Amino acid sequence: MRVVILGSGRGSNAEALLAAQQEGRLGDARVVQIFSDRAAAPILALGPRFGVPAQFLDPGPFKTKFDDAGEERYIEAVRKSAADLVVLAGFMRILKPSFMEAFPQGIINLHPSLLPSFPGLDAIGQAWRRGVKITGCTVHRVTSEVDGGPIIDQAVVQVTSEDTLATVEAKVHAAEHLLLPAVVARLSKQ
Ligand code: GAR
């Protein structure tokens, strides 16, 4: 199963996928390409480190969505890499139905809360400020409803009286780094 990763930032979840692949924990999945909508995103440095092509692709002038030309650039590039699965690993743009229609084989997204709680931006901060005692992360299929597609799997994180926002963030990220590779490995066997 050929996996293409789209990411905008740090790339710790892309790194978790690549490390899992190196360690033989990614099932029949293989990361074949990384694309980022930010030229300076640290995720792009994973390419040379792991021997995977990693490339900035111009998304167009908007901050949170593609313009038509940007969308076309992404659709064409992802098609060219013959993706069987597109993984959004911290890709901070809302995709239009036309993008989803281009990849009926599937797009999945990682979100740092137990959806349907706390969709949207700053999910960990939202959960922290709400005072939840249990939070976590979710991998779900991407549909045109933001953070609303069918849930594939979730991991739970306990919030204790010792926690700070920073420690909850660290726990959620650690849970993500286990959940995402496990889900991709499972999907590769289906
Ligand atoms: C992750 O926590 C992911 O769940 C979140 O961005 C972070 C990316 O980190 N995604 C969203 O909030 C999407 N709504 P990374 O760049 O280190 O993988």
Side-chain angles (χ1 to χ4, degrees), residues 8-14 43 89-92 109-112 120 122-124 147 173 176-177:
S8 305
R10 203 159 57 115
S12 69
N13 287 285
I43 191 172
F91 193 63
M92 305 310 271
N109 181 47
L110 174 67
H111 185 78
D122 188 24
I124 303 176
D147 297 329
H173 292 315
E176 290 185 314
H177 298 160

PDB file of all heavy atoms in Angstrom, residues 8-14 43 89-92 109-112 120 122-124 147 173 176-177, ligand 1:
ATOM      1  N   SER A   8       1.921  20.037   7.495  1.00  0.00           N
ATOM      2  CA  SER A   8       2.227  21.473   7.470  1.00  0.00           C
ATOM      3  C   SER A   8       3.291  21.878   8.468  1.00  0.00           C
ATOM      4  O   SER A   8       3.732  23.033   8.447  1.00  0.00           O
ATOM      5  CB  SER A   8       0.960  22.281   7.807  1.00  0.00           C
ATOM      6  OG  SER A   8      -0.102  21.954   6.950  1.00  0.00           O
ATOM      7  N   GLY A   9       3.658  20.983   9.407  1.00  0.00           N
ATOM      8  CA  GLY A   9       4.459  21.483  10.526  1.00  0.00           C
ATOM      9  C   GLY A   9       5.632  20.617  10.894  1.00  0.00           C
ATOM     10  O   GLY A   9       6.459  20.259  10.059  1.00  0.00           O
ATOM     11  N   ARG A  10       5.637  20.294  12.181  1.00  0.00           N
ATOM     12  CA  ARG A  10       6.756  19.594  12.817  1.00  0.00           C
ATOM     13  C   ARG A  10       7.044  18.241  12.165  1.00  0.00           C
ATOM     14  O   ARG A  10       8.176  17.829  12.025  1.00  0.00           O
ATOM     15  CB  ARG A  10       6.320  19.369  14.276  1.00  0.00           C
ATOM     16  CG  ARG A  10       7.396  19.164  15.271  1.00  0.00           C
ATOM     17  CD  ARG A  10       6.841  19.477  16.664  1.00  0.00           C
ATOM     18  NE  ARG A  10       5.685  18.673  16.990  1.00  0.00           N
ATOM     19  CZ  ARG A  10       5.646  17.762  17.975  1.00  0.00           C
ATOM     20  NH1 ARG A  10       6.704  17.528  18.718  1.00  0.00           N
ATOM     21  NH2 ARG A  10       4.532  17.111  18.237  1.00  0.00           N
ATOM     22  N   GLY A  11       5.992  17.507  11.868  1.00  0.00           N
ATOM     23  CA  GLY A  11       6.187  16.220  11.205  1.00  0.00           C
ATOM     24  C   GLY A  11       6.480  15.073  12.150  1.00  0.00           C
ATOM     25  O   GLY A  11       6.973  14.028  11.735  1.00  0.00           O
ATOM     26  N   SER A  12       6.132  15.241  13.445  1.00  0.00           N
ATOM     27  CA  SER A  12       6.453  14.143  14.372  1.00  0.00           C
ATOM     28  C   SER A  12       5.630  12.894  14.063  1.00  0.00           C
ATOM     29  O   SER A  12       6.097  11.775  14.298  1.00  0.00           O
ATOM     30  CB  SER A  12       6.251  14.584  15.824  1.00  0.00           C
ATOM     31  OG  SER A  12       4.896  14.783  16.101  1.00  0.00           O
ATOM     32  N   ASN A  13       4.448  13.079  13.524  1.00  0.00           N
ATOM     33  CA  ASN A  13       3.637  11.894  13.177  1.00  0.00           C
ATOM     34  C   ASN A  13       4.099  11.254  11.876  1.00  0.00           C
ATOM     35  O   ASN A  13       4.056  10.036  11.734  1.00  0.00           O
ATOM     36  CB  ASN A  13       2.156  12.255  13.145  1.00  0.00           C
ATOM     37  CG  ASN A  13       1.635  12.463  14.549  1.00  0.00           C
ATOM     38  OD1 ASN A  13       1.427  11.508  15.283  1.00  0.00           O
ATOM     39  ND2 ASN A  13       1.493  13.721  14.952  1.00  0.00           N
ATOM     40  N   ALA A  14       4.558  12.066  10.947  1.00  0.00           N
ATOM     41  CA  ALA A  14       5.178  11.507   9.741  1.00  0.00           C
ATOM     42  C   ALA A  14       6.424  10.723  10.148  1.00  0.00           C
ATOM     43  O   ALA A  14       6.674   9.618   9.654  1.00  0.00           O
ATOM     44  CB  ALA A  14       5.534  12.631   8.777  1.00  0.00           C
ATOM     45  N   ILE A  43       8.788  19.137   8.655  1.00  0.00           N
ATOM     46  CA  ILE A  43       8.423  17.816   8.102  1.00  0.00           C
ATOM     47  C   ILE A  43       9.242  17.511   6.842  1.00  0.00           C
ATOM     48  O   ILE A  43       9.554  16.351   6.572  1.00  0.00           O
ATOM     49  CB  ILE A  43       6.890  17.735   7.810  1.00  0.00           C
ATOM     50  CG1 ILE A  43       6.480  16.292   7.509  1.00  0.00           C
ATOM     51  CG2 ILE A  43       6.457  18.669   6.695  1.00  0.00           C
ATOM     52  CD1 ILE A  43       4.969  16.087   7.393  1.00  0.00           C
ATOM     53  N   ALA A  89      -1.218  14.326   8.175  1.00  0.00           N
ATOM     54  CA  ALA A  89      -0.517  14.278   9.461  1.00  0.00           C
ATOM     55  C   ALA A  89      -0.158  15.703   9.829  1.00  0.00           C
ATOM     56  O   ALA A  89       0.931  16.189   9.513  1.00  0.00           O
ATOM     57  CB  ALA A  89       0.720  13.389   9.360  1.00  0.00           C
ATOM     58  N   GLY A  90      -1.125  16.391  10.443  1.00  0.00           N
ATOM     59  CA  GLY A  90      -0.896  17.796  10.760  1.00  0.00           C
ATOM     60  C   GLY A  90      -0.974  18.673   9.527  1.00  0.00           C
ATOM     61  O   GLY A  90      -0.207  19.627   9.407  1.00  0.00           O
ATOM     62  N   PHE A  91      -1.879  18.348   8.609  1.00  0.00           N
ATOM     63  CA  PHE A  91      -2.072  19.188   7.411  1.00  0.00           C
ATOM     64  C   PHE A  91      -3.196  20.168   7.727  1.00  0.00           C
ATOM     65  O   PHE A  91      -4.346  19.758   7.899  1.00  0.00           O
ATOM     66  CB  PHE A  91      -2.421  18.328   6.195  1.00  0.00           C
ATOM     67  CG  PHE A  91      -2.326  19.073   4.895  1.00  0.00           C
ATOM     68  CD1 PHE A  91      -1.115  19.584   4.456  1.00  0.00           C
ATOM     69  CD2 PHE A  91      -3.448  19.263   4.099  1.00  0.00           C
ATOM     70  CE1 PHE A  91      -1.016  20.283   3.252  1.00  0.00           C
ATOM     71  CE2 PHE A  91      -3.364  19.957   2.903  1.00  0.00           C
ATOM     72  CZ  PHE A  91      -2.141  20.456   2.479  1.00  0.00           C
ATOM     73  N   MET A  92      -2.835  21.458   7.848  1.00  0.00           N
ATOM     74  CA  MET A  92      -3.762  22.418   8.436  1.00  0.00           C
ATOM     75  C   MET A  92      -4.559  23.182   7.367  1.00  0.00           C
ATOM     76  O   MET A  92      -4.635  24.402   7.377  1.00  0.00           O
ATOM     77  CB  MET A  92      -3.005  23.381   9.353  1.00  0.00           C
ATOM     78  CG  MET A  92      -2.198  22.659  10.432  1.00  0.00           C
ATOM     79  SD  MET A  92      -3.123  21.410  11.360  1.00  0.00           S
ATOM     80  CE  MET A  92      -3.765  22.422  12.669  1.00  0.00           C
ATOM     81  N   ASN A 109      -7.235  11.265   8.464  1.00  0.00           N
ATOM     82  CA  ASN A 109      -6.714  12.412   9.196  1.00  0.00           C
ATOM     83  C   ASN A 109      -6.501  12.034  10.649  1.00  0.00           C
ATOM     84  O   ASN A 109      -7.239  11.227  11.213  1.00  0.00           O
ATOM     85  CB  ASN A 109      -7.724  13.573   9.124  1.00  0.00           C
ATOM     86  CG  ASN A 109      -7.241  14.813   9.859  1.00  0.00           C
ATOM     87  OD1 ASN A 109      -6.099  15.230   9.694  1.00  0.00           O
ATOM     88  ND2 ASN A 109      -8.098  15.387  10.685  1.00  0.00           N
ATOM     89  N   LEU A 110      -5.475  12.645  11.217  1.00  0.00           N
ATOM     90  CA  LEU A 110      -5.193  12.468  12.641  1.00  0.00           C
ATOM     91  C   LEU A 110      -5.636  13.739  13.345  1.00  0.00           C
ATOM     92  O   LEU A 110      -5.314  14.843  12.886  1.00  0.00           O
ATOM     93  CB  LEU A 110      -3.687  12.271  12.802  1.00  0.00           C
ATOM     94  CG  LEU A 110      -3.137  12.210  14.213  1.00  0.00           C
ATOM     95  CD1 LEU A 110      -3.634  10.961  14.926  1.00  0.00           C
ATOM     96  CD2 LEU A 110      -1.607  12.214  14.163  1.00  0.00           C
ATOM     97  N   HIS A 111      -6.357  13.589  14.453  1.00  0.00           N
ATOM     98  CA  HIS A 111      -6.832  14.774  15.181  1.00  0.00           C
ATOM     99  C   HIS A 111      -6.542  14.590  16.673  1.00  0.00           C
ATOM    100  O   HIS A 111      -6.831  13.527  17.225  1.00  0.00           O
ATOM    101  CB  HIS A 111      -8.335  14.980  14.944  1.00  0.00           C
ATOM    102  CG  HIS A 111      -8.830  16.241  15.565  1.00  0.00           C
ATOM    103  ND1 HIS A 111      -8.624  17.484  14.990  1.00  0.00           N
ATOM    104  CD2 HIS A 111      -9.476  16.462  16.727  1.00  0.00           C
ATOM    105  CE1 HIS A 111      -9.143  18.417  15.781  1.00  0.00           C
ATOM    106  NE2 HIS A 111      -9.672  17.817  16.838  1.00  0.00           N
ATOM    107  N   PRO A 112      -6.034  15.650  17.336  1.00  0.00           N
ATOM    108  CA  PRO A 112      -5.599  15.475  18.726  1.00  0.00           C
ATOM    109  C   PRO A 112      -6.701  15.655  19.775  1.00  0.00           C
ATOM    110  O   PRO A 112      -6.539  16.392  20.754  1.00  0.00           O
ATOM    111  CB  PRO A 112      -4.508  16.546  18.871  1.00  0.00           C
ATOM    112  CG  PRO A 112      -4.944  17.628  17.955  1.00  0.00           C
ATOM    113  CD  PRO A 112      -5.649  16.973  16.804  1.00  0.00           C
ATOM    114  N   GLY A 120     -11.663  21.050  15.140  1.00  0.00           N
ATOM    115  CA  GLY A 120     -11.109  22.360  14.780  1.00  0.00           C
ATOM    116  C   GLY A 120      -9.729  22.587  15.369  1.00  0.00           C
ATOM    117  O   GLY A 120      -9.032  21.660  15.767  1.00  0.00           O
ATOM    118  N   ASP A 122      -6.563  23.952  17.725  1.00  0.00           N
ATOM    119  CA  ASP A 122      -6.149  23.941  19.127  1.00  0.00           C
ATOM    120  C   ASP A 122      -6.998  22.983  19.964  1.00  0.00           C
ATOM    121  O   ASP A 122      -7.494  23.333  21.041  1.00  0.00           O
ATOM    122  CB  ASP A 122      -6.234  25.374  19.700  1.00  0.00           C
ATOM    123  CG  ASP A 122      -5.623  25.458  21.093  1.00  0.00           C
ATOM    124  OD1 ASP A 122      -4.769  24.620  21.432  1.00  0.00           O
ATOM    125  OD2 ASP A 122      -6.038  26.357  21.862  1.00  0.00           O
ATOM    126  N   ALA A 123      -7.138  21.763  19.457  1.00  0.00           N
ATOM    127  CA  ALA A 123      -8.018  20.789  20.121  1.00  0.00           C
ATOM    128  C   ALA A 123      -7.514  20.454  21.528  1.00  0.00           C
ATOM    129  O   ALA A 123      -8.321  20.300  22.457  1.00  0.00           O
ATOM    130  CB  ALA A 123      -8.108  19.531  19.267  1.00  0.00           C
ATOM    131  N   ILE A 124      -6.200  20.358  21.690  1.00  0.00           N
ATOM    132  CA  ILE A 124      -5.673  19.987  23.021  1.00  0.00           C
ATOM    133  C   ILE A 124      -5.948  21.124  24.012  1.00  0.00           C
ATOM    134  O   ILE A 124      -6.381  20.896  25.140  1.00  0.00           O
ATOM    135  CB  ILE A 124      -4.166  19.651  22.960  1.00  0.00           C
ATOM    136  CG1 ILE A 124      -3.932  18.516  21.945  1.00  0.00           C
ATOM    137  CG2 ILE A 124      -3.644  19.256  24.344  1.00  0.00           C
ATOM    138  CD1 ILE A 124      -2.457  18.164  21.731  1.00  0.00           C
ATOM    139  N   ASP A 147     -13.323  17.402  10.407  1.00  0.00           N
ATOM    140  CA  ASP A 147     -13.121  16.527  11.569  1.00  0.00           C
ATOM    141  C   ASP A 147     -14.356  15.667  11.852  1.00  0.00           C
ATOM    142  O   ASP A 147     -14.573  15.232  12.994  1.00  0.00           O
ATOM    143  CB  ASP A 147     -12.744  17.341  12.830  1.00  0.00           C
ATOM    144  CG  ASP A 147     -11.414  18.063  12.655  1.00  0.00           C
ATOM    145  OD1 ASP A 147     -10.549  17.546  11.940  1.00  0.00           O
ATOM    146  OD2 ASP A 147     -11.252  19.156  13.232  1.00  0.00           O
ATOM    147  N   HIS A 173       0.467  13.679  22.105  1.00  0.00           N
ATOM    148  CA  HIS A 173       1.359  13.426  20.965  1.00  0.00           C
ATOM    149  C   HIS A 173       1.943  12.015  21.040  1.00  0.00           C
ATOM    150  O   HIS A 173       2.034  11.318  20.032  1.00  0.00           O
ATOM    151  CB  HIS A 173       2.454  14.490  20.880  1.00  0.00           C
ATOM    152  CG  HIS A 173       1.911  15.855  20.518  1.00  0.00           C
ATOM    153  ND1 HIS A 173       0.987  16.036  19.506  1.00  0.00           N
ATOM    154  CD2 HIS A 173       2.134  17.075  21.034  1.00  0.00           C
ATOM    155  CE1 HIS A 173       0.672  17.314  19.414  1.00  0.00           C
ATOM    156  NE2 HIS A 173       1.343  17.976  20.341  1.00  0.00           N
ATOM    157  N   GLU A 176      -0.600   9.717  19.796  1.00  0.00           N
ATOM    158  CA  GLU A 176      -0.722   9.815  18.331  1.00  0.00           C
ATOM    159  C   GLU A 176       0.368   9.009  17.639  1.00  0.00           C
ATOM    160  O   GLU A 176       0.107   8.344  16.626  1.00  0.00           O
ATOM    161  CB  GLU A 176      -0.593  11.282  17.890  1.00  0.00           C
ATOM    162  CG  GLU A 176      -1.759  12.151  18.278  1.00  0.00           C
ATOM    163  CD  GLU A 176      -1.636  13.553  17.701  1.00  0.00           C
ATOM    164  OE1 GLU A 176      -0.541  14.166  17.786  1.00  0.00           O
ATOM    165  OE2 GLU A 176      -2.632  14.047  17.168  1.00  0.00           O
ATOM    166  N   HIS A 177       1.581   9.085  18.201  1.00  0.00           N
ATOM    167  CA  HIS A 177       2.720   8.428  17.543  1.00  0.00           C
ATOM    168  C   HIS A 177       2.578   6.908  17.551  1.00  0.00           C
ATOM    169  O   HIS A 177       3.214   6.231  16.746  1.00  0.00           O
ATOM    170  CB  HIS A 177       4.032   8.859  18.212  1.00  0.00           C
ATOM    171  CG  HIS A 177       4.289  10.335  18.101  1.00  0.00           C
ATOM    172  ND1 HIS A 177       5.146  11.027  18.908  1.00  0.00           N
ATOM    173  CD2 HIS A 177       3.748  11.257  17.244  1.00  0.00           C
ATOM    174  CE1 HIS A 177       5.144  12.313  18.576  1.00  0.00           C
ATOM    175  NE2 HIS A 177       4.302  12.469  17.572  1.00  0.00           N
TER     176      HIS A 177
HETATM  177  C1  GAR B   1      -0.904  16.585  15.529  1.00  0.00           C
HETATM  178  O1  GAR B   1      -1.138  16.731  16.900  1.00  0.00           O
HETATM  179  C2  GAR B   1      -2.211  16.379  14.788  1.00  0.00           C
HETATM  180  O2  GAR B   1      -3.144  15.639  15.512  1.00  0.00           O
HETATM  181  C3  GAR B   1      -2.673  17.797  14.612  1.00  0.00           C
HETATM  182  O3  GAR B   1      -1.513  18.503  14.275  1.00  0.00           O
HETATM  183  C4  GAR B   1      -0.406  17.908  14.948  1.00  0.00           C
HETATM  184  C5  GAR B   1       0.694  17.703  13.929  1.00  0.00           C
HETATM  185  O4  GAR B   1       1.887  17.385  14.575  1.00  0.00           O
HETATM  186  N1  GAR B   1      -3.675  17.902  13.592  1.00  0.00           N
HETATM  187  C6  GAR B   1      -4.731  18.705  13.692  1.00  0.00           C
HETATM  188  O5  GAR B   1      -4.921  19.440  14.631  1.00  0.00           O
HETATM  189  C7  GAR B   1      -5.672  18.624  12.513  1.00  0.00           C
HETATM  190  N2  GAR B   1      -6.921  19.247  12.839  1.00  0.00           N
HETATM  191  P1  GAR B   1       3.117  16.860  13.741  1.00  0.00           P
HETATM  192  O6  GAR B   1       3.377  17.862  12.622  1.00  0.00           O
HETATM  193  O7  GAR B   1       4.241  16.836  14.737  1.00  0.00           O
HETATM  194  O8  GAR B   1       2.788  15.498  13.216  1.00  0.00           O
END
